[in-house]
């Protein structure tokens, strides 16, 4: 499982992202930990993470998702806005 950190500085990862990550099965789970709350839908965060991961991939290989979310931790702030704290979803090449 790859962990992506969402913070005020942007996205970062704990694991090198490359085509080798997908050699055996063609998919993997991604855990997104939000150090700064993410205000938006799970689908939009998943798309943002896929775009980030694609910056590490060679030409011709694209990471995508069918928005298969296996876990989502969210809450509501003091202003009544919903945010995401942590998200786990599947990506494929």
């Amino acid at each position: 499982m790859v962990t992506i950190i969402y913070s005020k500085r942007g996205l970062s990862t704990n694991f090198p992202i490359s085509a080798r990550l997908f050699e055996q099965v063609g998919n993997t789970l991604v855990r997104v930990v939000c150090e700064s709350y993410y205000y938006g839908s799970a689908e939009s965060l998943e798309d943002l993470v896929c775009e980030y991961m694609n910056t590490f991939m060679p030409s011709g290989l694209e990471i995508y998702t069918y928005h298969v979310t296996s876990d989502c931790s969210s809450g509501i702030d003091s202003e009544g806005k919903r945010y995401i704290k942590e998200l786990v979803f599947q990506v494929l090449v």
Side-chain angles (χ1 to χ4, degrees):
M1 180 183 304
V2 176
T3 299
I4 304 287
I5 307 296
Y6 174 83
S7 69
K8 291 179 182 179
R9 296 178 309 278
L11 297 170
S12 60
T13 182
N14 72 329
F15 193 82
I17 298 170
S18 69
R20 295 189 77 213
L21 181 63
F22 299 94
E23 282 181 344
Q24 297 298 318
V25 293
N27 65 63
T28 192
L29 289 176
V30 176
R31 177 177 169 238
V32 183
V33 177
C34 299
E35 289 179 352
S36 301
Y37 293 150
Y38 180 81
Y39 292 95
S41 69
E43 291 83 10
S44 66
L45 181 55
E46 292 169 3
D47 290 341
L48 180 68
V49 169
C50 285
E51 287 174 23
Y52 170 73
M53 293 178 72
N54 276 319
T55 64
F56 299 97
M57 298 301 285
S59 180
L61 272 180
E62 182 180 353
I63 294 173
Y64 62 96
T65 183
Y66 289 126
H67 300 290
V68 178
T69 305
S70 62
D71 188 28
C72 183
S73 173
S74 62
I76 299 175
D77 68 10
S78 59
E79 297 177 359
K81 293 181 180 177
R82 180 169 296 281
Y83 61 84
I84 296 174
K85 293 188 289 187
E86 191 170 305
L87 176 72
V88 178
F89 70 103
Q90 183 183 37
V91 295
L92 308 101
V93 292

